[in-house]
Amino acid sequence: MIKENRRLFKIFNCISEGILFFLAYMIATYIRFDVMYGNYPVLETVWNIPCFFAVFCYVIIVLILCYLTKQYRYNAITQPDILLMGKLCVVNGVGILLLTAFLYVTRVVDFSRYAIFWFYLISTGLIITKRIIVTLLFQHYCKQGRYYTNIVVVGNGALAADYIHSVSERANMGMRVLGYISKSVKEGLGKNLGMYEDLDKILQDSDIEEIVIALESHEVEFMPMVIAAGEKAGVKISIIPFYNNYIPNHPSIDVIGNCKLMNIRQIPLDNIVLAFLKRGMDIVGSTLLITLSSPLMLFVAVGIKLSSPGPILFKQERIGRYKRPFIMYKFRSMRVNTAENTGWSQNTDPRKTKFGSFIRKCSLDEFPQFFNVLKGDMSLIGPRPEIPFHVNHFKDEIPLYLVRQQVRPGITGWAQVKGYRGDTSIKKRIECDIWYIENWSIFLDIKILFMTVFGGMINQEKLS
């Protein structure tokens, strides 16, 4: 329910801010064509279908950029700060500049620079004002206690303590723990309301709206009694199972007869439709990138040939999806050597050529991997593929290491844009890879592409 409410909150913010953008456009054009120069017919000049369609496209693009820059996170909306307002100003400013350049080049509609200037000021001002009002209203309702869901926790073990602590740190989630019920009193958990046998009487309090069952494994015998009391009182019931640490963030449950099977690791790309969409994006994206980068790849190939003897391409066996090996292509940036299959390169690696250092710094050596993507060995976005030497080494050292082999490896990935590239913490890199696999979406891939282009093309340490 929490996740659903947050999703609805994001949708509300996107729609409301989209409406404000349209309102800003109408106010700006009215000021420009009516207030400033009253001899222009506003309706015929800029209040028509072609202009409204252009504004609609602009609004969609800016809302996507706002989403990618995390301006629609629940915490961002309920507790906005100067940084988020600055992000809005920058995103809207970049959008205005791109819109101006597009209209100037294409001339699809007549435009006024004054109108665009007023549109930027008014739209930014309206949205900042709206976000401040939403925050003030939220804080007002929280102070009155009208927004909170009153919760009683059943249990006093590690699970109960973790839940109570998590709720207390996230007051903006709209939940308040009134106390806990257990066989014994435990310090640091708040108010003890009684024992399990007292639950019927305790739930007669009309302020209690939900109970969260956080029993430990040795207390499972109390579960039927607690659930029966909760249903009798008509309150909502949530359960934190004692095997909580083994449950994924997005579990799925299959039902076979009376048996409920929980999948320990649910991967969105197991869905054939989503997998088809990602593969389609890879094919279109790699084809487009190969076409656009062909002159640059020709320049790099000539530079490699002139800078040192040896082949233009560096071919290396990597481990891909389902632990299947494939040959990954890169532009050669080092002198031919015998250590290429046993170690990562360093920023000051003596094996690099001068031209090789340049193309590695700009990530130009990765461009031939577009052909790996087109072939189906790799994806544009995904965990970086490793050589067999590292896979054999880390699969025993890091228990979840091979989980990353359930998807196609990528040219760039969540770990790389988070700074875990080259000779960095392998444990942190795997955590990022698994998070990406479990939380994959088209929007996440687009976000990583943006972060790679604007933050990761020029780097100090190379991808593995």
Side-chain angles (χ1 to χ4, degrees):
M1 184 58 68
I2 295 173
K3 185 176 180 180
E4 184 64 26
N5 289 338
R6 289 190 175 190
R7 185 181 294 112
L8 292 174
F9 201 67
K10 289 181 181 179
I11 293 172
F12 161 77
N13 279 287
C14 285
I15 293 176
S16 61
E17 292 187 2
I19 293 173
L20 289 177
F21 270 114
F22 270 97
L23 180 61
Y25 169 76
M26 298 187 73
I27 295 174
T29 51
Y30 179 78
I31 292 174
R32 167 62 180 85
F33 292 104
D34 197 308
V35 176
M36 295 179 64
Y37 302 98
N39 57 338
Y40 283 92
V42 179
L43 182 61
E44 297 177 8
T45 306
V46 288
W47 289 4
N48 50 53
I49 293 178
C51 289
F52 282 137
F53 180 74
V55 175
F56 176 78
C57 294
Y58 173 83
V59 170
I60 294 298
I61 292 172
V62 171
L63 291 179
I64 291 175
L65 291 175
C66 286
Y67 176 82
L68 294 176
T69 52
K70 300 181 179 179
Q71 296 184 48
Y72 293 136
R73 290 183 305 172
Y74 189 78
N75 291 348
I77 299 299
T78 56
Q79 295 179 340
D81 53 25
I82 299 299
L83 178 61
L84 284 170
M85 294 180 185
K87 283 184 178 181
L88 173 64
C89 294
V90 171
V91 166
N92 201 16
V94 171
I96 289 293
L97 292 175
L98 293 176
L99 175 64
T100 303
F102 174 77
L103 294 176
Y104 180 80
V105 172
T106 61
R107 298 287 182 177
V108 291
V109 292
D110 292 329
F111 71 101
S112 166
R113 285 172 292 179
Y114 287 113
I116 290 179
F117 172 74
W118 280 110
F119 173 63
Y120 172 76
L121 290 182
I122 295 170
S123 60
T124 303
L126 283 176
I127 291 174
I128 288 177
T129 302
K130 171 256 175 185
R131 292 183 181 180
I132 292 174
I133 291 174
V134 169
T135 301
L136 293 176
L137 287 174
F138 177 84
Q139 293 175 349
H140 172 72
Y141 282 116
C142 283
K143 288 179 181 179
Q144 290 188 338
R146 295 168 59 183
Y147 187 80
Y148 286 108
T149 298
N150 293 320
I151 298 171
V152 169
V153 177
V154 180
N156 69 348
L159 292 173
D162 188 44
Y163 176 79
I164 293 172
H165 178 70
S166 298
V167 171
S168 65
E169 285 189 334
R170 297 166 175 82
N172 62 337
M173 292 181 68
M175 297 183 293
R176 177 169 53 193
V177 177
L178 300 178
Y180 69 96
I181 298 170
S182 66
K183 294 177 64 177
S184 59
V185 178
K186 191 171 184 179
E187 296 295 330
L189 292 185
K191 183 179 180 181
N192 178 263
L193 302 176
M195 303 182 68
Y196 300 138
E197 293 80 4
D198 304 323
L199 189 56
D200 277 322
K201 182 178 179 181
I202 294 170
L203 292 180
Q204 291 178 9
D205 183 351
S206 59
D207 288 338
I208 298 174
E209 301 168 81
E210 182 177 351
I211 60 173
V212 173
I213 304 174
L215 298 173
E216 300 296 324
S217 58
H218 63 278
E219 298 178 307
V220 174
E221 61 183 283
F222 297 105
M223 185 78 73
M225 179 187 69
V226 173
I227 292 177
E231 291 183 334
K232 180 181 178 181
V235 299
K236 295 180 180 178
I237 303 173
S238 298
I239 300 175
I240 305 176
F242 61 84
Y243 47 88
N244 176 71
N245 293 338
Y246 299 98
I247 300 176
N249 292 331
H250 305 288
S252 65
I253 296 178
D254 295 325
V255 179
I256 301 178
N258 293 324
C259 299
K260 285 81 173 178
L261 305 178
M262 180 184 296
N263 297 313
I264 290 297
R265 198 165 303 283
Q266 178 68 14
I267 298 176
L269 287 173
D270 286 341
N271 184 301
I272 190 170
V273 175
L274 297 180
F276 177 80
L277 287 175
K278 182 170 174 64
R279 181 60 188 146
M281 188 173 74
D282 285 338
I283 293 173
V284 173
S286 61
T287 302
L288 182 62
L289 289 169
I290 289 171
T291 303
L292 294 176
S293 64
S294 293
L296 190 56
M297 285 197 280
L298 179 61
F299 163 76
V300 173
V302 173
I304 292 172
K305 204 64 180 175
L306 295 177
S307 63
S308 66
I312 294 174
L313 291 178
F314 169 66
K315 301 178 182 179
Q316 189 178 55
E317 184 180 69
R318 298 283 179 120
I319 303 300
R321 190 183 185 193
Y322 303 135
K323 298 181 286 187
R324 295 170 184 164
F326 71 97
I327 300 300
M328 189 182 79
Y329 309 126
K330 299 176 74 171
F331 281 124
R332 182 174 58 85
S333 60
M334 299 185 181
R335 298 174 181 85
V336 178
N337 62 86
T338 59
E340 60 190 29
N341 291 318
T342 58
W344 284 304
S345 63
Q346 303 292 327
N347 194 37
T348 57
D349 201 312
R351 297 173 293 172
K352 294 181 185 177
T353 63
K354 290 184 178 180
F355 187 75
S357 296
F358 165 72
I359 63 174
R360 288 176 67 86
K361 185 176 180 64
C362 299
S363 296
L364 300 179
D365 62 322
E366 309 287 345
F367 280 23
Q369 290 167 43
F370 297 148
F371 292 96
N372 283 117
V373 175
L374 193 59
K375 285 174 59 181
D377 295 328
M378 295 178 64
S379 174
L380 292 174
I381 310 296
R384 285 294 294 172
E386 297 285 7
I387 59 177
F389 174 84
H390 291 312
V391 173
N392 292 331
H393 174 69
F394 290 123
K395 70 179 183 181
D396 295 324
E397 183 177 326
I398 302 175
L400 300 179
Y401 184 82
L402 290 180
V403 172
R404 66 203 298 274
Q405 309 303 139
Q406 296 182 20
V407 298
R408 285 188 179 90
I411 296 178
T412 184
W414 186 242
Q416 283 65 46
V417 299
K418 285 294 185 179
Y420 299 109
R421 55 180 79 210
D423 193 12
T424 55
S425 170
I426 189 66
K427 183 178 179 180
K428 291 291 185 181
R429 191 188 306 185
I430 299 307
E431 289 177 359
C432 287
D433 288 340
I434 292 176
W435 184 91
Y436 167 80
I437 291 170
E438 293 183 341
N439 295 274
W440 178 89
S441 69
I442 289 290
F443 287 112
L444 180 58
D445 273 2
I446 295 173
K447 176 180 179 178
I448 293 173
L449 281 175
F450 270 93
M451 293 176 71
T452 300
V453 172
F454 294 109
M457 291 298 292
I458 305 299
N459 52 68
Q460 298 301 318
E461 294 184 22
K462 277 302 298 162
L463 307 174
S464 61

